[in-house]
Amino acid sequence: MEPGMEWIKIAPWDISCEGAEEETRDYRESVFSQGNGYLGMRGYRPDEASPNQAHRTTFYSGFYEYIRPGITDLVNQPDCSYTEIRLCGKPASELRVTKAKQSLSMKTGEASWQYMLEDGEGRKTQVEAFRFASMDNRRLVALRYRITPLNYEGTLELITGVDGGVENLPISDNQMQGNTEFVKFWTEHAFLPRTDGGVLSAKTRYSKRETAAGWCVCASGAATQQTPYAQGETYATTLTASLKQGQTWQVDKLCAVACWRDGEDPAPQAARLLNENEADYDALLKNNAVVWESIWRTADIRLDASDELQGAVRYNIYQLIASAPHGDEHASIGARGLMHGRYKGCYFWDTEVFMLPFFRDTLPDTAKSLLMYRYNTLNDAIESARRFSVKGARYSWMSSDTGFEQCETWDTGCCEIHITADIAYAVGKYALLSGDKAFMDEFGARILVETARYWFDRFSYCAPEDRYHLLFVKGPDEYCGVTSDNLYTVRLSKHNIALALQTLERLKKEQPGRYEALVQAAALLPEEQANWRDLLEKTVERFDEGRNLWVQDATFEQLEPLDIPGVRDTCKPLYYTLNFDRLQRYRVLKQPDVLMLMALLPEEFSQAEIESAWDYYEPITLHDSTLSFGMHALVAARLNKQAEAQGYFEKALYMDLKDVMQNTAREGIHTAALGAAWQALVYGYCGLSADPGAPCCTPRLPEFIRSAAFTVFRDGIWYDVTVNREGSCTVSKIQNSNPNSVFLRGV
Amino acid sequence: MEPGMEWIKIAPWDISCEGAEEETRDYRESVFSQGNGYLGMRGYRPDEASPNQAHRTTFYSGFYEYIRPGITDLVNQPDCSYTEIRLCGKPASELRVTKAKQSLSMKTGEASWQYMLEDGEGRKTQVEAFRFASMDNRRLVALRYRITPLNYEGTLELITGVDGGVENLPISDNQMQGNTEFVKFWTEHAFLPRTDGGVLSAKTRYSKRETAAGWCVCASGAATQQTPYAQGETYATTLTASLKQGQTWQVDKLCAVACWRDGEDPAPQAARLLNENEADYDALLKNNAVVWESIWRTADIRLDASDELQGAVRYNIYQLIASAPHGDEHASIGARGLMHGRYKGCYFWDTEVFMLPFFRDTLPDTAKSLLMYRYNTLNDAIESARRFSVKGARYSWMSSDTGFEQCETWDTGCCEIHITADIAYAVGKYALLSGDKAFMDEFGARILVETARYWFDRFSYCAPEDRYHLLFVKGPDEYCGVTSDNLYTVRLSKHNIALALQTLERLKKEQPGRYEALVQAAALLPEEQANWRDLLEKTVERFDEGRNLWVQDATFEQLEPLDIPGVRDTCKPLYYTLNFDRLQRYRVLKQPDVLMLMALLPEEFSQAEIESAWDYYEPITLHDSTLSFGMHALVAARLNKQAEAQGYFEKALYMDLKDVMQNTAREGIHTAALGAAWQALVYGYCGLSADPGAPCCTPRLPEFIRSAAFTVFRDGIWYDVTVNREGSCTVSKIQNSNPNSVFLRGV
């Protein structure tokens, strides 16, 4: 596939493609990924054989296990989609597949596969498969098979159950390193059969974390059913039917999953779910659709634009929702969601800075639970700070079920410290815009105080200069080397400290009791707030008056210029061509740094400063991170640079649907890019401002978007907003108290 | 043991100690290590049982094997000292050991152990063991046992042979990480018996690198001897004797080793060595002593000082010689020699900067072979540079049998790049002082050109400043963080470039043919030398006129001061208390950086500048590296700061003999400290200048050294030099053409 290829057909509410070639398989499986936030499955056809036991993945949010001391991997769960088809005694895997199509509905999350099987004797069989992860009950997955012998009659078998022999293939942080070591986590398999299926449970090797996956089936017509059996670690039911030519055999399968994280014994829980529900695909799909409707009521953006654009926007929103652990306050969203094992399934600043705005404005309960993950790992961040011999709370660059550092490349894990301020920024913005003061007072304030304390200790006071330097850091531009006084990190950390001071001041005035409790809990010393205020005045920031230019860091202007076209001619990141150590001495950016700061804190810069920064940094930014395009689109739209905005917006929006970085196949869905595209559209093109109170927009819609309608949550109230190319903006309050209530019932 | 304890008795030509307690075992085994440069053995008593198969180590110079892709460990070789004693049927390991003593002779490298064995029935047996690695034939090790039943008569057995079941316990670079993973390298054991012993051969698991170790025995009196047998991977001979009370049984054992690196089939080679020699300990020892005499003729320093000081100086020299791969141009000296597996047996700048001056001035053939190791890995350094996307040759921070990077901690392996200039410095000084122009012209010049080319590309030219910055480096002070324009690295790299330019100029004039060949071989472009000259003029070096102070690097003066007594009260390095990331923001040094530069290039600084640097840096240097003391002693002696010089000299000199850093037990002999102590004595106290021609000294001997006599090689000639406290210096040429000739015969 070529970058920018137009291969996936994008309709307003679904995507589809034709073909089932081996060389597009990984790509299709990435793009057609499905999930409901509790679990995510790659878009593999349930009955297609896998090259190895780590190829098909089903991940549960927050379910990690150790692969080394202190280092976890997101665990590949027993595969409840496991299915095999046999036609007249022959495994379908030995037959030719033709006329293959697959699709994914964003409206309901349902995937479908259609294909024809042909054997050597000319027998043709039509197969249709359907699958979704229920949003009504997020521990349920439903599958349906419809099989029709087109030009013969014969005996068909469908073998379906749970494959408990799945493995992990942990992926190194270092993108240059191959992954070759399979890890088998699952041990102590136990099987509880039912007449129409069964429940398999297993435990992870080290931490004995338990999982359970059960299934039951319901077949149409005169099918016979064998007692479920085990083959190795695969447990399955064999269904057999003798079919006439043209007769369609329909088999519905209900899967119920559960794990130790649910707080109950997993196996009985899965068994109970099977008892309480029936393998009736239509009924399950209907219940699921009702919940999705309640989600889309606030999450959707309705565009007067091309079908492709409309569909792509919904696809991005669907994938964000599919990977978000709604209501689970001990998990977050991985850099590849629940859709790929890249980055060991870890959480980065991607969540708070790139994805959270979408949830904050449209599904605020999910936004709150994402921030609660940070509150719940605050003690880990305090312990991490202690291990780094620094005070306060230091959030890790990569975290998983604990807040402890999962990043194994020293320079990033040690030096890319801005994540702590990014989290504080998200806490502040969430509380400000949602109006959720209760969250701020009870949880957010403590995060702000501990992180402000961290920053004060992390800066180095230089007495001769009477200045605080931020030494040995890396900003968002990871090509910058370990440097000092990175403007992004300095400004965000000051924002963090200022938020802490404001919050303490407000609490002191409005809730003196709570203020005292916080001071006591954090053992806040009298001089600390004075110290913080001192730091706010005395950081080192480089501004070149002559060029009206904010300079990225202490060494940036000492770097050598690079002849960019001379060293790259593909979309492949430059670190495939040049060593990181060399790259860091060129004056090029991997992704925006000063512009990123201006995207987050636009109120701190004049339009002219942002324009100077754009003119200086944009031409030397390589966009070697998928985090880059959406933020450039946002800033370009705000600057009304229409051509640039369009170029960047399309790259962010179609990141995976058009394989912009040529890595969707081997890395999965880029969740930060999904969120960044959403921000570019809503905060860039539609010009929504990030202020409390009723939404206010300054639309700058491009030619290809005539109008956009979306829903925004502000200060406890939902608003429907419509903007158009003419620059008008209509805002109307939604009277219904909570349009997400049907969704929230099940969370 | 306490630091600075006086527990090892140090005599002018030997060291000894009493006791055989378990808690001092590792320490004794480190201090009493023996070697001949081909092999090194820790000072374990041959008949003492080991807690695990990696505890006793025998290392061969340059014999590595992979433990991970690209990463090697020095291989623990089959243990040819393996011995067990049985008295009246009882293993000696079950009996009580009393009156234990052990000693090591620096004159001959012979170790001895004396102890008494007592059983429950009051039977007392005197045991004496002797061992040395022959310097006459460096593939031979000889052992002698003398066993006397003191108050009984009975049957004694001595079981002796080769243990081929030894393992490695690779040690992580990260000193905070434990080592728990035993690696068994040896496979494909094969045994060739002889009537009085045999030859065991084995191959390493991955690279199939072969080793062989054979033995034969000769016993006094009426001993019977069993045919050699195998028990697991241990091959041994059992000798039995019935002894009367007071009768001494003497058993001599000759071991012969060989390996793939010798260029012959190892097993036949070991067998041949056994055939050509006899298990006659006295004769072997005599031959060995003759060679040592030839070494000591130039290596010794004769002091009019305390016996302890004299012995310690000789001990340091002995250990340097014991680990140096004399004549082997494909190996160097590890940071713990052949005496411990710390740092995976790798080679650092320790060799060129700390140890090489000793060899250069006293055993120049060994110095040349050490530099040839760098020449022979030049292509690896060129390939390493290519992998770092930089031109020329980049030597690795840690290397082993190849020149590829063995350092697994990113910041050091990537940023502590001064090693490349250190090697060039050593090449230049060796050629200048030894007068070995042939080496320089044929090998050194190519090293200088490729490394100069590296430096030019490694610097970053900043056009607005018209300056070359050296960005993202760490100097010798590893507590400094990743910073810029480290003075040590900038000045040493300029020295490197200047050496290359001088050498090219000289060749062009003196040997135009060779000059052309070099230009062609290195594909040297016409502009390169002009570029190098431009760089020499335009680097960034920080000098504070007001304080007459050379500043370490770009960030040093921004670092926070640290209340040193407040955070440490032991000799334990501070990184055990504070995280590295925190340490790098304190204005403290792990080891000298600017002072190190002034130790190497004293001619580039005024006395006043060196004094300012001492006053500024010395009080904030933590000496958390064993490389620190000797260099401080050298600079202090040159500054005639007698009290400080003494303090530092004693710490360097007695590093292992008095366990100054409390890590000799678990880390082995600190080879760089040995060399630094020698430099402090010869270049500091004795005031030898590093100039070509007849040696010239400005003695500054302390009170405790009345005179010192040593030998120096300059410009192809050996000189005997005597200096005394009165400041006089006598220099006399040695007429004998090569005082090392007996030694060199066997190399």
Side-chain angles (χ1 to χ4, degrees):
Chain A
M1 278 169 293
E2 288 305 302
M5 49 112 228
E6 317 253 330
W7 184 68
I8 301 288
K9 207 180 140 212
I10 307 167
W13 277 111
D14 54 67
I15 61 164
S16 58
C17 77
E18 296 185 0
E21 289 74 24
E22 190 54 34
E23 60 269 31
T24 62
R25 179 173 174 173
D26 283 344
Y27 177 68
R28 286 181 285 112
E29 293 186 357
S30 285
V31 168
F32 289 88
S33 291
Q34 303 170 271
N36 58 17
Y38 181 89
L39 61 87
M41 304 173 284
R42 284 172 61 75
Y44 50 86
R45 206 179 76 212
D47 57 286
E48 190 170 9
S50 290
N52 63 59
Q53 285 297 85
H55 182 89
R56 285 159 70 134
T57 56
T58 307
F59 291 124
Y60 299 170
S61 197
F63 195 128
Y64 295 86
E65 173 59 297
Y66 291 93
I67 49 172
R68 284 184 272 289
I71 301 295
T72 59
D73 200 15
L74 190 57
V75 179
N76 190 11
Q77 297 289 334
D79 178 16
C80 68
S81 298
Y82 168 77
T83 301
E84 279 183 55
I85 299 171
R86 289 174 162 267
L87 305 175
C88 306
K90 267 203 184 148
S93 57
E94 296 175 10
L95 309 183
R96 200 156 72 90
V97 171
T98 62
K99 299 189 179 164
K101 273 191 203 173
Q102 70 186 107
S103 69
L104 174 68
S105 158
M106 279 83 80
K107 197 169 223 157
T108 62
E110 186 190 36
S112 73
W113 295 263
Q114 286 89 37
Y115 64 100
M116 180 101 84
L117 285 171
E118 290 185 41
D119 68 8
E121 290 148 63
R123 282 184 288 222
K124 295 184 177 181
T125 310
Q126 179 67 38
V127 181
E128 292 173 284
F130 304 88
R131 184 178 73 174
F132 66 92
S134 175
M135 198 50 104
D136 177 42
N137 183 327
R138 294 189 293 130
R139 282 153 196 82
L140 301 181
V141 172
L143 289 95
R144 164 170 283 177
Y145 265 86
R146 290 170 59 80
I147 308 176
T148 314
L150 294 179
N151 60 354
Y152 69 99
E153 61 176 50
T155 304
L156 276 59
E157 286 164 275
L158 190 90
I159 302 155
T160 196
V162 174
D163 179 358
V166 294
E167 298 181 355
N168 270 46
L169 181 58
I171 299 176
S172 166
D173 294 352
N174 179 346
Q175 324 205 9
M176 307 285 97
Q177 207 169 300
N179 315 299
T180 53
E181 214 173 316
F182 288 86
V183 176
K184 195 160 165 35
F185 280 130
W186 295 116
T187 58
E188 303 181 36
H189 294 79
F191 185 60
L192 187 77
R194 300 166 41 113
T195 52
D196 58 350
V199 175
L200 170 69
S201 64
K203 290 179 180 172
T204 57
R205 188 176 299 275
Y206 305 106
S207 309
K208 303 294 174 198
R209 290 172 176 172
E210 195 171 352
T211 199
W215 82 97
C216 60
V217 287
C218 175
S220 71
T224 63
Q225 188 174 328
Q226 251 183 29
T227 310
Y229 70 99
Q231 186 160 29
E233 287 156 342
T234 302
Y235 297 79
T237 312
T238 302
L239 295 151
T240 313
S242 292
L243 295 187
K244 300 209 184 78
Q245 181 173 334
Q247 186 189 351
T248 297
W249 184 35
Q250 181 170 297
V251 179
D252 288 358
K253 176 184 182 184
L254 171 66
C255 310
V257 303
C259 74
W260 68 282
R261 298 187 73 250
D262 305 332
E264 283 180 63
D265 261 6
Q269 198 185 349
R272 182 178 54 75
L273 285 168
L274 291 179
N275 290 336
E276 288 173 1
N277 294 276
E278 270 172 65
D280 176 345
Y281 188 88
D282 292 321
L284 292 162
L285 182 60
K286 200 178 140 204
N287 294 342
N288 165 67
V290 171
V291 179
W292 269 106
E293 197 184 351
S294 150
I295 293 171
W296 282 113
R297 173 64 188 87
T298 58
D300 195 17
I301 304 181
R302 293 164 306 284
L303 299 173
D304 184 359
S306 72
D307 284 358
E308 186 182 73
L309 188 72
Q310 173 68 74
V313 167
R314 287 191 176 128
Y315 176 82
N316 281 16
I317 292 171
Y318 168 77
Q319 288 294 358
L320 278 171
I321 294 167
S323 279
H326 313 283
D328 181 345
E329 299 187 342
H330 295 271
S332 186
I333 309 177
R336 298 297 179 265
L338 298 169
M339 310 316 185
H340 199 278
R342 179 84 183 101
Y343 297 116
K344 300 174 290 191
C346 282
Y347 314 135
F348 292 76
W349 69 315
D350 301 35
T351 309
E352 282 74 16
V353 172
F354 293 82
M355 303 180 233
L356 197 87
F358 161 74
F359 292 104
R360 180 192 66 209
D361 292 352
T362 72
L363 297 164
D365 293 274
T366 298
K368 184 189 164 188
S369 70
L370 289 169
L371 292 174
M372 284 303 293
Y373 163 77
R374 296 300 187 179
Y375 178 77
N376 286 322
T377 53
L378 179 63
N379 281 334
D380 296 348
I382 290 171
E383 170 60 19
S384 294
R386 200 193 60 76
R387 293 185 191 172
F388 274 88
S389 308
V390 63
K391 295 187 181 123
R394 181 192 192 277
Y395 282 99
S396 297
W397 180 242
M398 289 169 68
S399 62
S400 60
D401 54 348
T402 71
F404 295 110
E405 188 61 78
Q406 299 298 311
C407 178
E408 296 178 279
T409 51
W410 180 86
D411 59 330
T412 307
C414 187
C415 306
E416 200 162 344
I417 56 175
H418 61 79
I419 184 166
T420 294
D422 300 331
I423 290 167
Y425 171 88
V427 163
K429 275 281 183 285
Y430 166 77
L432 179 74
L433 299 185
S434 72
D436 188 352
K437 272 195 185 166
F439 167 81
M440 178 56 102
D441 297 351
E442 201 167 341
F443 308 108
R446 182 71 193 273
I447 292 177
L448 295 177
V449 165
E450 295 292 354
T451 50
R453 169 181 276 164
Y454 163 75
W455 285 115
F456 182 77
D457 204 30
R458 182 59 182 73
F459 274 85
S460 299
Y461 179 66
C462 178
E465 300 176 22
D466 190 23
R467 279 281 173 278
Y468 294 85
H469 284 284
L470 191 57
L471 300 176
F472 313 129
V473 295
K474 281 171 94 83
D477 164 25
E478 291 167 329
Y479 285 171
C480 64
V482 178
T483 185
S484 296
D485 299 323
N486 167 262
L487 187 73
Y488 176 94
T489 313
V490 169
R491 283 290 185 94
L492 263 287
S493 62
K494 285 166 72 175
H495 182 81
N496 184 342
I497 289 172
L499 276 174
L501 286 167
Q502 284 157 25
T503 305
L504 284 168
E505 211 162 302
R506 183 178 58 73
L507 281 178
K508 194 174 185 177
K509 202 157 60 182
E510 294 176 7
Q511 303 193 53
R514 200 180 271 284
Y515 173 80
E516 277 311 319
L518 176 60
V519 164
Q520 235 171 19
L524 198 65
L525 299 175
E527 67 268 26
E528 286 188 84
Q529 294 182 64
N531 286 340
W532 301 351
R533 278 192 199 93
D534 192 52
L535 186 146
L536 291 183
E537 301 294 312
K538 297 177 182 169
T539 55
V540 179
E541 299 165 19
R542 284 171 178 74
F543 181 70
D544 178 340
E545 303 266 354
R547 291 176 290 171
N548 202 32
L549 183 71
W550 287 98
V551 177
Q552 181 174 313
D553 56 48
T555 46
F556 194 79
E557 299 248 88
Q558 294 168 358
L559 302 174
E560 278 176 65
L562 178 67
D563 169 32
I564 298 171
V567 291
R568 77 189 284 171
D569 55 357
T570 68
C571 66
K572 234 181 167 142
L574 201 54
Y575 53 76
Y576 285 97
T577 311
L578 286 177
N579 185 284
F580 266 106
D581 180 65
R582 185 70 193 89
L583 262 173
Q584 68 184 1
R585 298 194 304 278
Y586 283 123
R587 205 187 312 142
V588 289
L589 291 81
K590 187 180 179 203
Q591 62 201 78
D593 202 300
V594 172
L595 287 174
M596 186 74 213
L597 169 64
M598 291 170 167
L600 296 189
L601 298 172
E603 63 279 12
E604 296 195 5
F605 301 92
S606 73
Q607 185 84 350
E609 285 169 3
I610 300 176
E611 278 184 3
S612 298
W614 179 275
D615 292 343
Y616 183 69
Y617 294 108
E618 189 269 346
I620 53 175
T621 302
L622 298 170
H623 313 294
D624 285 354
S625 160
T626 56
L627 276 54
S628 194
F629 300 118
M631 285 296 144
H632 275 89
L634 170 63
V635 175
R638 281 182 178 160
L639 292 175
N640 225 337
K641 292 179 182 288
Q642 286 291 346
E644 291 93 329
Q646 181 177 352
Y648 286 123
F649 177 64
E650 288 178 351
K651 281 186 171 158
L653 184 68
Y654 298 113
M655 179 63 67
D656 298 308
L657 287 172
K658 298 191 180 179
D659 199 17
V660 170
M661 296 286 275
Q662 285 191 286
N663 64 2
T664 298
R666 63 171 191 282
E667 294 211 353
I669 301 290
H670 298 83
T671 51
L674 306 171
W678 183 91
Q679 290 188 60
L681 178 54
V682 172
Y683 283 89
Y685 281 144
C686 298
L688 179 64
S689 72
D691 296 312
C696 172
C697 289
T698 318
R700 312 165 197 102
L701 289 182
E703 272 183 32
F704 54 90
I705 303 178
R706 285 170 297 277
S707 75
F710 53 93
T711 305
V712 179
F713 184 72
R714 286 281 185 272
D715 239 336
I717 299 162
W718 267 272
Y719 298 89
D720 281 324
V721 181
T722 308
V723 295
N724 65 23
R725 276 227 76 206
E726 286 67 48
S728 81
C729 170
T730 331
V731 175
S732 62
K733 212 187 265 194
I734 300 180
Q735 296 306 329
N736 180 339
S737 67
N738 193 336
N740 293 147
S741 56
V742 172
F743 164 54
L744 293 174
R745 228 169 38 205
V747 170
Chain B
M1 279 169 294
E2 287 307 303
M5 48 114 225
E6 318 254 332
W7 184 67
I8 301 287
K9 206 181 142 208
I10 306 167
W13 276 110
D14 54 65
I15 60 164
S16 59
C17 76
E18 296 186 358
E21 290 73 24
E22 191 53 35
E23 59 269 31
T24 63
R25 177 172 177 175
D26 283 344
Y27 177 67
R28 285 182 286 111
E29 292 186 358
S30 285
V31 168
F32 288 88
S33 291
Q34 303 171 270
N36 60 14
Y38 181 90
L39 60 85
M41 304 173 284
R42 284 173 60 77
Y44 50 86
R45 204 180 75 214
D47 58 286
E48 190 170 9
S50 289
N52 64 59
Q53 284 298 86
H55 182 90
R56 284 159 73 131
T57 57
T58 307
F59 292 123
Y60 297 171
S61 197
F63 195 130
Y64 295 86
E65 173 58 298
Y66 291 93
I67 49 172
R68 284 184 271 289
I71 301 294
T72 59
D73 200 14
L74 190 57
V75 179
N76 189 11
Q77 298 288 334
D79 177 16
C80 67
S81 300
Y82 169 76
T83 301
E84 279 182 53
I85 298 171
R86 287 173 164 268
L87 304 176
C88 306
K90 267 204 182 148
S93 57
E94 294 174 11
L95 308 184
R96 201 156 71 91
V97 172
T98 61
K99 298 188 180 166
K101 274 190 202 174
Q102 69 187 109
S103 69
L104 174 69
S105 157
M106 280 82 81
K107 197 169 224 158
T108 60
E110 185 190 36
S112 73
W113 295 263
Q114 287 88 36
Y115 62 100
M116 181 100 83
L117 284 172
E118 291 186 40
D119 69 7
E121 288 148 63
R123 282 185 287 224
K124 294 185 178 182
T125 311
Q126 179 67 37
V127 183
E128 292 173 284
F130 304 88
R131 184 179 71 175
F132 65 93
S134 174
M135 198 49 105
D136 177 41
N137 184 327
R138 294 190 292 130
R139 283 154 195 80
L140 301 182
V141 172
L143 289 95
R144 166 171 281 178
Y145 265 86
R146 291 171 57 81
I147 308 177
T148 314
L150 294 180
N151 59 355
Y152 69 99
E153 61 174 52
T155 305
L156 275 60
E157 287 162 275
L158 190 90
I159 303 154
T160 195
V162 174
D163 179 359
V166 296
E167 299 181 356
N168 270 46
L169 181 58
I171 299 176
S172 167
D173 295 351
N174 180 345
Q175 324 205 10
M176 307 286 97
Q177 209 170 299
N179 315 300
T180 53
E181 214 172 320
F182 288 86
V183 176
K184 194 161 167 37
F185 280 128
W186 296 117
T187 57
E188 302 181 35
H189 294 79
F191 185 61
L192 188 76
R194 299 164 44 111
T195 52
D196 58 350
V199 174
L200 171 68
S201 65
K203 291 180 179 172
T204 57
R205 188 176 299 276
Y206 305 106
S207 308
K208 304 292 175 201
R209 290 173 175 170
E210 196 171 349
T211 200
W215 82 97
C216 60
V217 288
C218 177
S220 72
T224 62
Q225 188 174 328
Q226 251 183 29
T227 310
Y229 68 100
Q231 187 160 28
E233 287 156 342
T234 302
Y235 297 78
T237 312
T238 301
L239 295 151
T240 312
S242 292
L243 296 187
K244 301 208 183 78
Q245 181 173 334
Q247 187 188 349
T248 296
W249 185 36
Q250 181 171 298
V251 180
D252 288 357
K253 177 183 181 185
L254 170 66
C255 310
V257 304
C259 74
W260 68 282
R261 298 187 73 251
D262 304 333
E264 283 181 64
D265 263 5
Q269 198 185 347
R272 182 178 55 76
L273 285 168
L274 290 179
N275 290 336
E276 289 173 2
N277 293 278
E278 270 173 65
D280 177 346
Y281 188 88
D282 291 322
L284 292 162
L285 183 61
K286 199 178 143 205
N287 295 342
N288 166 67
V290 170
V291 180
W292 270 106
E293 197 184 351
S294 150
I295 294 172
W296 282 113
R297 173 63 188 90
T298 58
D300 195 17
I301 304 180
R302 293 164 305 286
L303 298 173
D304 183 359
S306 71
D307 284 357
E308 184 182 72
L309 188 70
Q310 174 68 74
V313 167
R314 288 194 175 124
Y315 175 82
N316 280 19
I317 293 171
Y318 168 77
Q319 289 294 357
L320 278 171
I321 294 167
S323 279
H326 313 283
D328 181 345
E329 300 186 343
H330 295 270
S332 186
I333 310 176
R336 299 295 177 266
L338 298 169
M339 309 319 182
H340 199 277
R342 179 82 184 104
Y343 297 116
K344 299 175 291 194
C346 281
Y347 314 135
F348 293 76
W349 70 316
D350 300 37
T351 309
E352 282 74 15
V353 172
F354 294 82
M355 301 178 236
L356 197 88
F358 161 74
F359 293 103
R360 180 192 68 208
D361 292 352
T362 71
L363 297 165
D365 294 273
T366 298
K368 184 188 166 188
S369 71
L370 289 168
L371 291 173
M372 284 305 293
Y373 163 78
R374 295 300 187 180
Y375 179 77
N376 286 322
T377 53
L378 179 63
N379 280 335
D380 296 347
I382 291 171
E383 170 60 19
S384 293
R386 199 192 60 74
R387 292 184 191 172
F388 273 89
S389 307
V390 63
K391 296 186 181 121
R394 179 191 192 279
Y395 281 99
S396 297
W397 180 242
M398 290 168 67
S399 61
S400 60
D401 53 347
T402 72
F404 295 110
E405 187 61 77
Q406 300 298 314
C407 177
E408 296 179 280
T409 51
W410 180 86
D411 58 330
T412 307
C414 187
C415 305
E416 200 161 346
I417 56 176
H418 59 81
I419 184 166
T420 294
D422 301 331
I423 289 166
Y425 171 87
V427 164
K429 276 279 182 289
Y430 166 77
L432 179 74
L433 299 185
S434 72
D436 188 352
K437 272 196 185 169
F439 167 81
M440 178 56 102
D441 297 352
E442 200 168 341
F443 309 108
R446 183 70 195 275
I447 292 178
L448 294 177
V449 166
E450 294 292 355
T451 49
R453 171 180 274 164
Y454 163 75
W455 285 115
F456 183 77
D457 205 30
R458 183 58 181 75
F459 273 84
S460 299
Y461 179 66
C462 179
E465 299 175 22
D466 190 24
R467 279 282 174 279
Y468 294 86
H469 285 283
L470 191 57
L471 300 176
F472 312 129
V473 295
K474 281 170 94 83
D477 164 24
E478 293 167 328
Y479 285 170
C480 64
V482 178
T483 183
S484 296
D485 299 323
N486 168 262
L487 186 73
Y488 175 94
T489 314
V490 169
R491 282 290 184 93
L492 263 287
S493 62
K494 285 167 71 174
H495 182 81
N496 184 344
I497 290 171
L499 277 175
L501 287 167
Q502 284 157 25
T503 304
L504 284 168
E505 212 161 301
R506 182 177 58 76
L507 282 178
K508 196 173 184 178
K509 204 158 54 182
E510 294 176 7
Q511 304 193 54
R514 199 181 271 284
Y515 173 79
E516 278 311 319
L518 176 59
V519 163
Q520 237 171 20
L524 198 65
L525 299 175
E527 68 267 26
E528 285 187 84
Q529 294 182 62
N531 286 340
W532 300 350
R533 278 192 198 93
D534 192 51
L535 187 146
L536 291 183
E537 300 296 311
K538 297 178 182 169
T539 56
V540 180
E541 297 164 20
R542 283 173 178 73
F543 181 70
D544 180 339
E545 304 265 356
R547 291 177 290 170
N548 202 32
L549 183 70
W550 287 99
V551 177
Q552 180 173 312
D553 56 48
T555 47
F556 193 80
E557 298 247 88
Q558 292 168 359
L559 301 174
E560 277 176 65
L562 177 67
D563 169 33
I564 298 172
V567 292
R568 78 189 285 171
D569 55 358
T570 68
C571 65
K572 233 183 169 143
L574 201 54
Y575 53 75
Y576 284 97
T577 311
L578 285 177
N579 186 285
F580 265 106
D581 179 66
R582 185 70 193 89
L583 262 174
Q584 68 184 1
R585 297 195 303 279
Y586 283 121
R587 206 188 308 144
V588 290
L589 291 81
K590 187 181 178 202
Q591 60 201 81
D593 201 301
V594 171
L595 287 174
M596 185 75 213
L597 169 64
M598 292 169 166
L600 296 189
L601 297 173
E603 63 278 13
E604 297 195 6
F605 301 93
S606 71
Q607 186 84 351
E609 285 169 2
I610 301 176
E611 277 184 4
S612 299
W614 179 276
D615 292 344
Y616 183 70
Y617 294 107
E618 189 269 347
I620 53 175
T621 302
L622 297 170
H623 313 293
D624 284 353
S625 160
T626 56
L627 276 55
S628 195
F629 300 118
M631 285 296 146
H632 275 89
L634 171 63
V635 176
R638 283 181 176 160
L639 292 175
N640 227 336
K641 292 179 183 290
Q642 287 291 347
E644 292 93 329
Q646 179 176 353
Y648 287 122
F649 177 64
E650 288 178 351
K651 281 186 172 161
L653 184 69
Y654 298 112
M655 178 64 67
D656 298 308
L657 287 172
K658 298 193 181 178
D659 199 17
V660 170
M661 295 287 274
Q662 284 191 287
N663 63 2
T664 297
R666 63 171 192 282
E667 294 210 353
I669 302 289
H670 298 82
T671 51
L674 307 172
W678 183 91
Q679 290 189 60
L681 178 54
V682 172
Y683 284 88
Y685 281 143
C686 298
L688 179 64
S689 74
D691 296 313
C696 172
C697 290
T698 318
R700 311 168 198 100
L701 289 182
E703 271 182 33
F704 54 91
I705 303 178
R706 286 170 296 276
S707 76
F710 53 95
T711 306
V712 178
F713 185 72
R714 286 281 186 272
D715 239 335
I717 299 163
W718 265 271
Y719 298 89
D720 281 324
V721 180
T722 308
V723 296
N724 66 22
R725 275 226 78 206
E726 288 66 49
S728 82
C729 170
T730 329
V731 175
S732 63
K733 214 188 264 193
I734 300 182
Q735 296 307 328
N736 180 340
S737 67
N738 195 336
N740 292 147
S741 57
V742 173
F743 164 53
L744 293 174
R745 230 170 36 207
V747 169

